[in-house]
Amino acid sequence: GAGVSQSPSNKVTEKGKDVELRCDPISGHTALYWYRQSLGQGLEFLIYFQGNSAPDKSGLPSDRFSAERTGGSVSTLTIQRTQQEDSAVYLCASSLGGAPDTQYFGPGTRLTVL
Amino acid sequence: LAKTTQPVSMDSYEGQEVNITCSHNNIATNDYITWYQQFPSQGPRFIIQGYKTKVTNEVASLFIPADRKSSTLSLPRVSLSDTAVYYCLVGDLLGGGYNKLIFGAGTRLAVHP
């Protein structure tokens, strides 16, 4: 079946612009995660959605970052007033249930802020 | 929060067994230990998960001592295609005790001919 998909695959933007990153999880998966991975670095957890519960936003690096998940499916990560340090690969994952269920990762969105 | 520590890099040769150890001294009672593999320009992929003792699947084994303060991923007879970054993940959100899933910095494994 279809895996986790993310769009766009690449995004180049100018400093100060807003960007939206999209994640389509595997159908039926109740949990959705966003991570950030800077070049050559490990994964930094950003936010976690589980069913209809309010997400845990404590991993978001600043108030310029926000995320929502509509209808328990598609999720959008929004970064406002982008900065150069926001440049990274943003990875989305979904799992059938909550942690510690296996997470299935999407290919990521490579964000470059000029 | 449970913090994990892994070696930055390891080198091996085809056909050898590779053991990668992850330290997680502050692991909580509800935490599971999961290992992921990541190839360049791809998202991580699940390898194996365990809670205690030993777990084995078709690709790897995971050894967890009784105190659970560390875990060792064992890859038998590696091949060139096993060259990747391996991440140790400790966490559990079901219990509500942790708000973040903590990935280690990853271990870059290079397998040589």
Side-chain angles (χ1 to χ4, degrees):
Chain A
V4 177
S5 61
Q6 294 184 246
S7 60
S9 55
N10 281 285
K11 176 70 176 180
V12 180
T13 190
E14 294 179 346
K15 178 181 175 181
K17 301 280 189 181
D18 298 351
V19 296
E20 283 191 355
L21 312 180
R22 177 187 169 106
C23 172
D24 284 85
I26 293 173
S27 178
H29 279 195
T30 64
L32 187 146
Y33 315 74
W34 282 97
Y35 296 87
R36 179 169 70 174
Q37 188 171 35
S38 300
L39 186 62
Q41 302 299 310
L43 280 74
E44 175 188 4
F45 170 82
L46 298 178
I47 191 169
Y48 164 73
F49 294 88
Q50 172 57 55
N52 296 320
S53 301
D56 179 350
K57 305 179 181 180
S58 58
L60 296 177
S62 77
D63 58 9
R64 295 186 295 104
F65 287 72
S66 63
E68 63 177 17
R69 188 179 184 193
T70 55
S73 181
V74 172
S75 178
T76 302
L77 177 69
T78 301
I79 309 173
Q80 296 179 309
R81 305 181 303 281
T82 53
Q83 304 294 313
Q84 289 184 332
E85 60 262 29
D86 298 334
S87 296
V89 175
Y90 289 81
L91 290 158
C92 173
S94 70
S95 62
L96 185 61
D101 280 12
T102 299
Q103 296 179 50
Y104 296 86
F105 283 81
T109 292
R110 181 174 297 279
L111 175 65
T112 303
V113 181
L114 302 177
Chain B
L1 296 174
K3 179 180 177 180
T4 61
T5 304
Q6 305 173 232
V8 173
S9 64
M10 296 182 68
D11 289 273
S12 184
Y13 293 89
E14 286 188 291
Q16 289 189 333
E17 178 183 82
V18 171
N19 295 309
I20 307 174
T21 297
C22 178
S23 297
H24 28 80
N25 292 321
N26 296 326
I27 190 169
T29 302
N30 293 334
D31 284 344
Y32 280 74
I33 301 155
T34 313
W35 285 80
Y36 287 83
Q37 175 192 55
Q38 187 178 29
F39 297 111
S41 302
Q42 295 184 25
R45 184 176 68 176
F46 172 87
I47 301 175
I48 196 166
Q49 183 182 80
Y51 182 80
K52 62 180 179 180
T53 65
K54 177 184 175 181
V55 179
T56 298
N57 63 21
E58 63 275 9
V59 298
S61 294
L62 179 60
F63 299 91
I64 305 170
D67 65 7
R68 305 204 322 125
K69 293 182 182 299
S70 67
S71 59
T72 299
L73 173 72
S74 180
L75 304 173
R77 300 178 298 283
V78 294
S79 63
L80 296 177
S81 63
D82 292 318
T83 294
V85 178
Y86 292 83
Y87 291 97
C88 165
L89 170 63
V90 174
D92 163 44
L93 294 172
L94 292 176
Y98 285 79
N99 295 326
K100 297 184 181 181
L101 296 175
I102 309 298
F103 272 84
T107 298
R108 293 184 177 275
L109 172 66
V111 180
H112 306 280

